Amino acid sequence: MAKGKEKSVFFCQECGYESAKWLGKCPGCGQWNTFVEELVTKQSGDVARLMPSSEPMTLQEIYYDDVLRIDTGIHELNRVLGGGMVPGALMLLAGDPGIGKSTLTMQLTGSIHMQEKILYVSGEESRQQLKMRAQRLGIGTEQLYILTENNLSVIEKHIDKIKPGLLILDSIQTVYLPEITSAPGSVSQLRECTGKLLQWAKGLGLSVIVVGHVTKDGAVAGPRVLEHMVDTVLFFEGERHNHFRILRALKNRFGSTNEIGVFEMQEQGLREVHNPSEVFLSERPQDTVGSVVVPCMEGTRPVLVELQALVASSPYGQPRRMTNGADYNRTAMLLAVLEKKMRLPIGNHDIFLNVVGGLKVDEPAIDLGIIAALVSSMQNRPILKDAVVLGEVGLTGEVRTINFLDKRLIEAEKMGFRVAVVPAGNLKQGQKFPIEVKGVRNVGEALRVLLGGA
Ligand code: TYD
Ligand code: MG
């Protein structure tokens, strides 16, 4: 290999900003102390110009066929991808170590509906380990080729030979290009390697799934440029102590980013969970204070989630507030509404709010549910039996309309709920609903219906 002139360049580990000298604060993303030095031989930074050059065309001339999606054989994954895998797509699968990324990609090789070969490259595990996992998952596909290799140039040679339709690379942080002197996982390696993958994806029409590790604060390790370069960023998450895993798209050039896929990690690998409501409500205690069920929308799918609140008088001057799965600031606003509009002295209480099952809900339709759970716990009164609660709450304590009421109520009925407390504004005369609905205009009315009295 002819050695070019080496020079030292500093990269921001957060956003990939390049600088000739070390900087305390990154001008690109504003973060402090994120610059690291790397030796660069090749002039990097041209990866954005990787699209094959083409002539300008009118929209009418461009041929596009939506049926051209590959069925991955995993329903929940298809949904998150927007209806299947697009050939020639570069997808990043990110998540904490041990969450099940390798399991998911290995399972995919056994279920995907494609004629072409699949090349599974691991830079982390030995062939024996991979074989063991494949056996455990019951995968015996003949079209699957396993390669343990870290050098991307060598991987390229094998791609030329095998000509796979799908490449799985586990993980981007463990591969390198020999012409770049910095270590695997460094900004310039990540950038150039991803550029190479992009070239293969777009040039050869090869679908690529690349696994990426995340840093301790949950960002995809390596610079943001990695996220910019790929077509799809999938995030696999879950809590270590429970078996449920949620797959979501943080970015998707071929579909929406609202859909989630739910899985359960079992002895024989990941099992798809087709009815998440059942799972999230499975351990719900009956008639307990502080527990409310809200039908939330996760993309196009309604999912019933249980909200739990614990409100206890605070022994210290500085009450503690903790939310898990619900937005902290939104909850603070709802507390202020309770304090000011309902004259509830809730401000001097410790408050713990939890969305059960590790789900994160960020839609405003959950507001009234949060309020109901908080007041129920504070006043030690259980919520109306077999009821679900829905509604956005405004600053004056009014209950505002929400979308997809029908879908949510159908799901509630399916799960055995009999009554729903909903915004009055959502109800039109003569309209029929699957379960009994009680329309409320403001928080006071809602609490009277849900808790009786108040
Ligand atoms: P893995 O896919 O290796 O995680 P990642 O690639 O994201 O680091 O899976 C991690 C965990 O899953 C591991 O602790 C073992 C567990 N597991 C099962 O429970 N059942 C299985 O069938 C497999 C393959 C793994
Ligand atoms: Mg792994």
PDB file of all heavy atoms in Angstrom, residues 95-104 107 124-125 133 136-137 170 211 213 236 245 265-270, ligand 1:
ATOM      1  N   GLY A  95     -28.207  -0.538  19.641  1.00  0.00           N
ATOM      2  CA  GLY A  95     -28.791  -0.915  20.926  1.00  0.00           C
ATOM      3  C   GLY A  95     -27.706  -1.240  21.935  1.00  0.00           C
ATOM      4  O   GLY A  95     -26.538  -1.420  21.574  1.00  0.00           O
ATOM      5  N   ASP A  96     -28.104  -1.335  23.198  1.00  0.00           N
ATOM      6  CA  ASP A  96     -27.168  -1.659  24.270  1.00  0.00           C
ATOM      7  C   ASP A  96     -26.575  -3.054  24.067  1.00  0.00           C
ATOM      8  O   ASP A  96     -27.221  -3.903  23.460  1.00  0.00           O
ATOM      9  CB  ASP A  96     -27.909  -1.657  25.616  1.00  0.00           C
ATOM     10  CG  ASP A  96     -28.169  -0.243  26.095  1.00  0.00           C
ATOM     11  OD1 ASP A  96     -27.334   0.625  25.815  1.00  0.00           O
ATOM     12  OD2 ASP A  96     -29.208  -0.017  26.743  1.00  0.00           O
ATOM     13  N   PRO A  97     -25.406  -3.294  24.624  1.00  0.00           N
ATOM     14  CA  PRO A  97     -24.840  -4.646  24.559  1.00  0.00           C
ATOM     15  C   PRO A  97     -25.778  -5.629  25.266  1.00  0.00           C
ATOM     16  O   PRO A  97     -26.359  -5.292  26.296  1.00  0.00           O
ATOM     17  CB  PRO A  97     -23.532  -4.526  25.336  1.00  0.00           C
ATOM     18  CG  PRO A  97     -23.254  -3.073  25.454  1.00  0.00           C
ATOM     19  CD  PRO A  97     -24.524  -2.342  25.299  1.00  0.00           C
ATOM     20  N   GLY A  98     -25.935  -6.794  24.685  1.00  0.00           N
ATOM     21  CA  GLY A  98     -26.737  -7.836  25.322  1.00  0.00           C
ATOM     22  C   GLY A  98     -28.228  -7.705  25.141  1.00  0.00           C
ATOM     23  O   GLY A  98     -29.001  -8.492  25.685  1.00  0.00           O
ATOM     24  N   ILE A  99     -28.660  -6.742  24.355  1.00  0.00           N
ATOM     25  CA  ILE A  99     -30.100  -6.516  24.214  1.00  0.00           C
ATOM     26  C   ILE A  99     -30.714  -7.520  23.229  1.00  0.00           C
ATOM     27  O   ILE A  99     -31.901  -7.819  23.281  1.00  0.00           O
ATOM     28  CB  ILE A  99     -30.369  -5.040  23.796  1.00  0.00           C
ATOM     29  CG1 ILE A  99     -31.728  -4.582  24.305  1.00  0.00           C
ATOM     30  CG2 ILE A  99     -30.263  -4.825  22.308  1.00  0.00           C
ATOM     31  CD1 ILE A  99     -31.771  -4.327  25.758  1.00  0.00           C
ATOM     32  N   GLY A 100     -29.883  -8.035  22.315  1.00  0.00           N
ATOM     33  CA  GLY A 100     -30.393  -9.040  21.365  1.00  0.00           C
ATOM     34  C   GLY A 100     -30.203  -8.684  19.906  1.00  0.00           C
ATOM     35  O   GLY A 100     -30.894  -9.210  19.040  1.00  0.00           O
ATOM     36  N   LYS A 101     -29.256  -7.807  19.603  1.00  0.00           N
ATOM     37  CA  LYS A 101     -29.033  -7.395  18.208  1.00  0.00           C
ATOM     38  C   LYS A 101     -28.531  -8.560  17.364  1.00  0.00           C
ATOM     39  O   LYS A 101     -29.034  -8.810  16.272  1.00  0.00           O
ATOM     40  CB  LYS A 101     -28.011  -6.248  18.141  1.00  0.00           C
ATOM     41  CG  LYS A 101     -28.419  -5.034  18.932  1.00  0.00           C
ATOM     42  CD  LYS A 101     -27.401  -3.926  18.802  1.00  0.00           C
ATOM     43  CE  LYS A 101     -26.052  -4.233  19.434  1.00  0.00           C
ATOM     44  NZ  LYS A 101     -26.065  -4.445  20.892  1.00  0.00           N
ATOM     45  N   SER A 102     -27.549  -9.281  17.894  1.00  0.00           N
ATOM     46  CA  SER A 102     -27.012 -10.414  17.138  1.00  0.00           C
ATOM     47  C   SER A 102     -28.072 -11.502  16.985  1.00  0.00           C
ATOM     48  O   SER A 102     -28.163 -12.153  15.947  1.00  0.00           O
ATOM     49  CB  SER A 102     -25.787 -10.991  17.833  1.00  0.00           C
ATOM     50  OG  SER A 102     -24.825  -9.983  18.046  1.00  0.00           O
ATOM     51  N   THR A 103     -28.870 -11.680  18.024  1.00  0.00           N
ATOM     52  CA  THR A 103     -29.940 -12.676  17.957  1.00  0.00           C
ATOM     53  C   THR A 103     -30.945 -12.317  16.871  1.00  0.00           C
ATOM     54  O   THR A 103     -31.339 -13.152  16.061  1.00  0.00           O
ATOM     55  CB  THR A 103     -30.657 -12.762  19.322  1.00  0.00           C
ATOM     56  OG1 THR A 103     -29.674 -12.955  20.340  1.00  0.00           O
ATOM     57  CG2 THR A 103     -31.642 -13.905  19.359  1.00  0.00           C
ATOM     58  N   LEU A 104     -31.339 -11.051  16.844  1.00  0.00           N
ATOM     59  CA  LEU A 104     -32.331 -10.612  15.857  1.00  0.00           C
ATOM     60  C   LEU A 104     -31.801 -10.778  14.431  1.00  0.00           C
ATOM     61  O   LEU A 104     -32.489 -11.302  13.558  1.00  0.00           O
ATOM     62  CB  LEU A 104     -32.716  -9.150  16.106  1.00  0.00           C
ATOM     63  CG  LEU A 104     -33.787  -8.571  15.195  1.00  0.00           C
ATOM     64  CD1 LEU A 104     -35.121  -9.278  15.404  1.00  0.00           C
ATOM     65  CD2 LEU A 104     -33.971  -7.066  15.417  1.00  0.00           C
ATOM     66  N   GLN A 107     -31.630 -14.484  13.559  1.00  0.00           N
ATOM     67  CA  GLN A 107     -32.966 -15.021  13.315  1.00  0.00           C
ATOM     68  C   GLN A 107     -33.481 -14.606  11.945  1.00  0.00           C
ATOM     69  O   GLN A 107     -34.145 -15.361  11.252  1.00  0.00           O
ATOM     70  CB  GLN A 107     -33.926 -14.536  14.410  1.00  0.00           C
ATOM     71  CG  GLN A 107     -34.206 -15.617  15.430  1.00  0.00           C
ATOM     72  CD  GLN A 107     -35.070 -15.140  16.571  1.00  0.00           C
ATOM     73  OE1 GLN A 107     -34.557 -14.647  17.561  1.00  0.00           O
ATOM     74  NE2 GLN A 107     -36.370 -15.271  16.445  1.00  0.00           N
ATOM     75  N   GLU A 124     -16.910  -9.831  16.017  1.00  0.00           N
ATOM     76  CA  GLU A 124     -16.924  -9.938  17.478  1.00  0.00           C
ATOM     77  C   GLU A 124     -16.913 -11.358  17.984  1.00  0.00           C
ATOM     78  O   GLU A 124     -16.377 -11.632  19.051  1.00  0.00           O
ATOM     79  CB  GLU A 124     -18.182  -9.257  18.028  1.00  0.00           C
ATOM     80  CG  GLU A 124     -18.353  -7.847  17.535  1.00  0.00           C
ATOM     81  CD  GLU A 124     -19.353  -7.058  18.340  1.00  0.00           C
ATOM     82  OE1 GLU A 124     -20.266  -7.677  18.900  1.00  0.00           O
ATOM     83  OE2 GLU A 124     -19.211  -5.829  18.398  1.00  0.00           O
ATOM     84  N   GLU A 125     -17.528 -12.257  17.228  1.00  0.00           N
ATOM     85  CA  GLU A 125     -17.681 -13.618  17.737  1.00  0.00           C
ATOM     86  C   GLU A 125     -16.978 -14.611  16.829  1.00  0.00           C
ATOM     87  O   GLU A 125     -16.796 -14.357  15.642  1.00  0.00           O
ATOM     88  CB  GLU A 125     -19.174 -13.956  17.836  1.00  0.00           C
ATOM     89  CG  GLU A 125     -19.848 -13.218  18.955  1.00  0.00           C
ATOM     90  CD  GLU A 125     -21.354 -13.154  18.794  1.00  0.00           C
ATOM     91  OE1 GLU A 125     -21.832 -12.664  17.765  1.00  0.00           O
ATOM     92  OE2 GLU A 125     -22.045 -13.601  19.706  1.00  0.00           O
ATOM     93  N   ARG A 133     -25.109 -20.292  18.320  1.00  0.00           N
ATOM     94  CA  ARG A 133     -26.302 -19.464  18.363  1.00  0.00           C
ATOM     95  C   ARG A 133     -27.297 -19.890  17.285  1.00  0.00           C
ATOM     96  O   ARG A 133     -28.483 -20.032  17.545  1.00  0.00           O
ATOM     97  CB  ARG A 133     -25.958 -17.986  18.198  1.00  0.00           C
ATOM     98  CG  ARG A 133     -27.227 -17.173  18.101  1.00  0.00           C
ATOM     99  CD  ARG A 133     -27.029 -15.683  18.017  1.00  0.00           C
ATOM    100  NE  ARG A 133     -26.490 -15.114  19.226  1.00  0.00           N
ATOM    101  CZ  ARG A 133     -25.427 -14.319  19.247  1.00  0.00           C
ATOM    102  NH1 ARG A 133     -24.819 -14.029  18.132  1.00  0.00           N
ATOM    103  NH2 ARG A 133     -25.005 -13.808  20.366  1.00  0.00           N
ATOM    104  N   ARG A 136     -29.059 -22.963  18.309  1.00  0.00           N
ATOM    105  CA  ARG A 136     -30.012 -22.668  19.367  1.00  0.00           C
ATOM    106  C   ARG A 136     -31.283 -22.055  18.791  1.00  0.00           C
ATOM    107  O   ARG A 136     -32.391 -22.296  19.242  1.00  0.00           O
ATOM    108  CB  ARG A 136     -29.347 -21.668  20.304  1.00  0.00           C
ATOM    109  CG  ARG A 136     -30.055 -21.482  21.594  1.00  0.00           C
ATOM    110  CD  ARG A 136     -29.132 -20.758  22.513  1.00  0.00           C
ATOM    111  NE  ARG A 136     -29.850 -20.190  23.622  1.00  0.00           N
ATOM    112  CZ  ARG A 136     -29.274 -19.400  24.503  1.00  0.00           C
ATOM    113  NH1 ARG A 136     -27.999 -19.080  24.375  1.00  0.00           N
ATOM    114  NH2 ARG A 136     -29.969 -18.926  25.498  1.00  0.00           N
ATOM    115  N   LEU A 137     -31.102 -21.248  17.753  1.00  0.00           N
ATOM    116  CA  LEU A 137     -32.251 -20.580  17.135  1.00  0.00           C
ATOM    117  C   LEU A 137     -32.903 -21.455  16.062  1.00  0.00           C
ATOM    118  O   LEU A 137     -33.878 -21.065  15.450  1.00  0.00           O
ATOM    119  CB  LEU A 137     -31.808 -19.250  16.507  1.00  0.00           C
ATOM    120  CG  LEU A 137     -31.222 -18.223  17.466  1.00  0.00           C
ATOM    121  CD1 LEU A 137     -30.669 -17.037  16.701  1.00  0.00           C
ATOM    122  CD2 LEU A 137     -32.276 -17.758  18.457  1.00  0.00           C
ATOM    123  N   ASP A 170     -21.664  -7.281  11.893  1.00  0.00           N
ATOM    124  CA  ASP A 170     -21.789  -7.154  13.349  1.00  0.00           C
ATOM    125  C   ASP A 170     -20.378  -6.996  13.936  1.00  0.00           C
ATOM    126  O   ASP A 170     -19.654  -7.956  14.051  1.00  0.00           O
ATOM    127  CB  ASP A 170     -22.467  -8.433  13.877  1.00  0.00           C
ATOM    128  CG  ASP A 170     -22.848  -8.338  15.345  1.00  0.00           C
ATOM    129  OD1 ASP A 170     -22.630  -7.275  15.948  1.00  0.00           O
ATOM    130  OD2 ASP A 170     -23.372  -9.328  15.879  1.00  0.00           O
ATOM    131  N   VAL A 211     -24.736  -3.545  12.506  1.00  0.00           N
ATOM    132  CA  VAL A 211     -25.024  -3.426  13.931  1.00  0.00           C
ATOM    133  C   VAL A 211     -24.135  -2.330  14.508  1.00  0.00           C
ATOM    134  O   VAL A 211     -22.962  -2.227  14.137  1.00  0.00           O
ATOM    135  CB  VAL A 211     -24.766  -4.773  14.637  1.00  0.00           C
ATOM    136  CG1 VAL A 211     -24.828  -4.630  16.145  1.00  0.00           C
ATOM    137  CG2 VAL A 211     -25.764  -5.817  14.161  1.00  0.00           C
ATOM    138  N   HIS A 213     -23.010  -0.201  18.204  1.00  0.00           N
ATOM    139  CA  HIS A 213     -23.122  -0.121  19.660  1.00  0.00           C
ATOM    140  C   HIS A 213     -23.541   1.273  20.060  1.00  0.00           C
ATOM    141  O   HIS A 213     -23.349   2.225  19.328  1.00  0.00           O
ATOM    142  CB  HIS A 213     -21.784  -0.450  20.312  1.00  0.00           C
ATOM    143  CG  HIS A 213     -21.383  -1.861  20.088  1.00  0.00           C
ATOM    144  ND1 HIS A 213     -22.080  -2.914  20.628  1.00  0.00           N
ATOM    145  CD2 HIS A 213     -20.395  -2.401  19.351  1.00  0.00           C
ATOM    146  CE1 HIS A 213     -21.516  -4.047  20.244  1.00  0.00           C
ATOM    147  NE2 HIS A 213     -20.492  -3.761  19.462  1.00  0.00           N
ATOM    148  N   PHE A 236     -32.964  -0.893  19.168  1.00  0.00           N
ATOM    149  CA  PHE A 236     -33.501  -2.044  19.890  1.00  0.00           C
ATOM    150  C   PHE A 236     -33.317  -1.766  21.366  1.00  0.00           C
ATOM    151  O   PHE A 236     -32.199  -1.559  21.818  1.00  0.00           O
ATOM    152  CB  PHE A 236     -32.712  -3.286  19.464  1.00  0.00           C
ATOM    153  CG  PHE A 236     -33.477  -4.564  19.577  1.00  0.00           C
ATOM    154  CD1 PHE A 236     -34.857  -4.581  19.432  1.00  0.00           C
ATOM    155  CD2 PHE A 236     -32.836  -5.760  19.812  1.00  0.00           C
ATOM    156  CE1 PHE A 236     -35.567  -5.761  19.516  1.00  0.00           C
ATOM    157  CE2 PHE A 236     -33.539  -6.959  19.898  1.00  0.00           C
ATOM    158  CZ  PHE A 236     -34.908  -6.949  19.751  1.00  0.00           C
ATOM    159  N   ARG A 245     -38.613  -6.559  24.515  1.00  0.00           N
ATOM    160  CA  ARG A 245     -37.723  -5.727  23.711  1.00  0.00           C
ATOM    161  C   ARG A 245     -38.569  -4.939  22.738  1.00  0.00           C
ATOM    162  O   ARG A 245     -39.500  -5.479  22.141  1.00  0.00           O
ATOM    163  CB  ARG A 245     -36.757  -6.610  22.907  1.00  0.00           C
ATOM    164  CG  ARG A 245     -35.903  -7.517  23.758  1.00  0.00           C
ATOM    165  CD  ARG A 245     -34.788  -6.758  24.439  1.00  0.00           C
ATOM    166  NE  ARG A 245     -33.941  -7.602  25.238  1.00  0.00           N
ATOM    167  CZ  ARG A 245     -34.083  -7.796  26.537  1.00  0.00           C
ATOM    168  NH1 ARG A 245     -35.065  -7.213  27.190  1.00  0.00           N
ATOM    169  NH2 ARG A 245     -33.257  -8.574  27.192  1.00  0.00           N
ATOM    170  N   MET A 265     -37.684 -11.897  24.676  1.00  0.00           N
ATOM    171  CA  MET A 265     -36.484 -12.732  24.609  1.00  0.00           C
ATOM    172  C   MET A 265     -36.737 -14.014  25.383  1.00  0.00           C
ATOM    173  O   MET A 265     -37.021 -13.982  26.575  1.00  0.00           O
ATOM    174  CB  MET A 265     -35.290 -11.969  25.189  1.00  0.00           C
ATOM    175  CG  MET A 265     -33.982 -12.724  25.144  1.00  0.00           C
ATOM    176  SD  MET A 265     -33.407 -13.178  23.515  1.00  0.00           S
ATOM    177  CE  MET A 265     -32.326 -11.816  23.121  1.00  0.00           C
ATOM    178  N   GLN A 266     -36.636 -15.130  24.668  1.00  0.00           N
ATOM    179  CA  GLN A 266     -36.872 -16.417  25.318  1.00  0.00           C
ATOM    180  C   GLN A 266     -35.646 -17.306  25.145  1.00  0.00           C
ATOM    181  O   GLN A 266     -34.686 -16.926  24.489  1.00  0.00           O
ATOM    182  CB  GLN A 266     -38.094 -17.098  24.699  1.00  0.00           C
ATOM    183  CG  GLN A 266     -39.377 -16.351  24.988  1.00  0.00           C
ATOM    184  CD  GLN A 266     -40.575 -17.095  24.445  1.00  0.00           C
ATOM    185  OE1 GLN A 266     -40.469 -17.832  23.475  1.00  0.00           O
ATOM    186  NE2 GLN A 266     -41.722 -16.888  25.064  1.00  0.00           N
ATOM    187  N   GLU A 267     -35.721 -18.508  25.685  1.00  0.00           N
ATOM    188  CA  GLU A 267     -34.620 -19.469  25.547  1.00  0.00           C
ATOM    189  C   GLU A 267     -34.268 -19.703  24.082  1.00  0.00           C
ATOM    190  O   GLU A 267     -33.105 -19.780  23.715  1.00  0.00           O
ATOM    191  CB  GLU A 267     -35.024 -20.806  26.193  1.00  0.00           C
ATOM    192  CG  GLU A 267     -34.788 -20.849  27.685  1.00  0.00           C
ATOM    193  CD  GLU A 267     -33.314 -20.719  28.024  1.00  0.00           C
ATOM    194  OE1 GLU A 267     -32.521 -21.482  27.471  1.00  0.00           O
ATOM    195  OE2 GLU A 267     -32.965 -19.834  28.837  1.00  0.00           O
ATOM    196  N   GLN A 268     -35.297 -19.839  23.252  1.00  0.00           N
ATOM    197  CA  GLN A 268     -35.065 -20.115  21.829  1.00  0.00           C
ATOM    198  C   GLN A 268     -35.060 -18.839  20.995  1.00  0.00           C
ATOM    199  O   GLN A 268     -35.510 -18.840  19.861  1.00  0.00           O
ATOM    200  CB  GLN A 268     -36.131 -21.072  21.284  1.00  0.00           C
ATOM    201  CG  GLN A 268     -35.766 -22.537  21.436  1.00  0.00           C
ATOM    202  CD  GLN A 268     -35.927 -22.987  22.863  1.00  0.00           C
ATOM    203  OE1 GLN A 268     -36.881 -22.598  23.526  1.00  0.00           O
ATOM    204  NE2 GLN A 268     -34.987 -23.772  23.362  1.00  0.00           N
ATOM    205  N   GLY A 269     -34.614 -17.753  21.571  1.00  0.00           N
ATOM    206  CA  GLY A 269     -34.501 -16.531  20.796  1.00  0.00           C
ATOM    207  C   GLY A 269     -35.681 -15.597  20.971  1.00  0.00           C
ATOM    208  O   GLY A 269     -36.456 -15.716  21.925  1.00  0.00           O
ATOM    209  N   LEU A 270     -35.806 -14.666  20.039  1.00  0.00           N
ATOM    210  CA  LEU A 270     -36.823 -13.628  20.166  1.00  0.00           C
ATOM    211  C   LEU A 270     -38.162 -14.120  19.627  1.00  0.00           C
ATOM    212  O   LEU A 270     -38.240 -14.660  18.533  1.00  0.00           O
ATOM    213  CB  LEU A 270     -36.381 -12.384  19.392  1.00  0.00           C
ATOM    214  CG  LEU A 270     -35.188 -11.657  19.993  1.00  0.00           C
ATOM    215  CD1 LEU A 270     -34.483 -10.828  18.933  1.00  0.00           C
ATOM    216  CD2 LEU A 270     -35.630 -10.781  21.151  1.00  0.00           C
TER     217      LEU A 270
HETATM  218  P1  TYD B   1     -27.219 -10.912  21.813  1.00  0.00           P
HETATM  219  O1  TYD B   1     -28.013 -11.083  20.585  1.00  0.00           O
HETATM  220  O2  TYD B   1     -25.861 -11.509  21.825  1.00  0.00           O
HETATM  221  O3  TYD B   1     -27.097  -9.360  22.178  1.00  0.00           O
HETATM  222  P2  TYD B   1     -26.276  -8.190  21.443  1.00  0.00           P
HETATM  223  O4  TYD B   1     -25.820  -8.695  20.124  1.00  0.00           O
HETATM  224  O5  TYD B   1     -27.256  -7.048  21.340  1.00  0.00           O
HETATM  225  O6  TYD B   1     -25.143  -7.817  22.347  1.00  0.00           O
HETATM  226  O7  TYD B   1     -28.109 -11.528  22.972  1.00  0.00           O
HETATM  227  C1  TYD B   1     -27.890 -11.197  24.263  1.00  0.00           C
HETATM  228  C2  TYD B   1     -28.660 -11.964  25.296  1.00  0.00           C
HETATM  229  O8  TYD B   1     -29.737 -12.704  24.849  1.00  0.00           O
HETATM  230  C3  TYD B   1     -27.720 -12.940  25.961  1.00  0.00           C
HETATM  231  O9  TYD B   1     -27.575 -12.489  27.297  1.00  0.00           O
HETATM  232  C4  TYD B   1     -28.381 -14.242  25.927  1.00  0.00           C
HETATM  233  C5  TYD B   1     -29.780 -13.945  25.528  1.00  0.00           C
HETATM  234  N1  TYD B   1     -30.343 -14.967  24.636  1.00  0.00           N
HETATM  235  C6  TYD B   1     -31.465 -15.653  25.029  1.00  0.00           C
HETATM  236  O10 TYD B   1     -32.017 -15.460  26.111  1.00  0.00           O
HETATM  237  N2  TYD B   1     -32.000 -16.596  24.187  1.00  0.00           N
HETATM  238  C7  TYD B   1     -31.434 -16.885  22.979  1.00  0.00           C
HETATM  239  O11 TYD B   1     -31.936 -17.741  22.231  1.00  0.00           O
HETATM  240  C8  TYD B   1     -30.254 -16.152  22.592  1.00  0.00           C
HETATM  241  C9  TYD B   1     -29.584 -16.417  21.285  1.00  0.00           C
HETATM  242  C10 TYD B   1     -29.747 -15.208  23.448  1.00  0.00           C
END
